[in-house]
Amino acid sequence: PAALSLLLKKGGIDYIAMDIKSSPENYEKAIGRDLSFDCFAESVSVIRSSGIPYEFRTPVVKGIHTKEDMENIGKFLQKDEKYFLQGFVDSGNLIGTGYEAFSPEEMSDFLRVIKKYIPGASLRGQEEGE
């Protein structure tokens, strides 16, 4: 949050996009290291108060994310925020092996869960219902 605040004070930023790797309960598992969710939540607060347009997004990974995670992410975010679920793509720079993408149907199920909390949420990289 301190580095983010410094960047914002320097100016020149016209849009912020931040990954929400998982729910507060599974955040450390999703990022593959010990890091308090409180630090992440503080960064979210800095973004919200920045006055700069922003979005949040979650790259959804089989073996890491569950419907319960989607419920808890939905509860954490505000209902009017711009939020996207993104299908997993193996970049080769992962915290482990054996991860894969959810099917389009599973992604649509996750989106239905999220939309209970964030009605404007959508899927990125595939059309809803595909």
Side-chain angles (χ1 to χ4, degrees), residues 22 39 50 95 128:
S22 192
C39 181
S50 71
I95 61 172
E128 198 174 327

Side-chain angles (χ1 to χ4, degrees), residues 10-71:
K10 286 184 176 186
I13 296 174
D14 59 3
Y15 193 80
I16 301 168
M18 183 176 189
D19 281 2
I20 296 179
K21 297 297 187 185
S22 192
S23 63
E25 299 77 10
N26 288 320
Y27 188 71
E28 289 181 354
K29 175 184 175 187
I31 65 170
R33 58 183 258 210
D34 293 336
L35 181 66
S36 168
F37 186 81
D38 294 341
C39 181
F40 168 77
E42 189 176 338
S43 293
V44 168
S45 181
V46 167
I47 290 169
R48 286 176 174 155
S49 64
S50 71
I52 296 171
Y54 64 89
E55 71 180 53
F56 297 115
R57 61 200 181 196
T58 300
V60 186
V61 183
K62 195 175 276 194
I64 293 180
H65 296 100
T66 65
K67 282 187 181 180
E68 184 177 70
D69 289 317
M70 298 303 119
E71 290 273 351

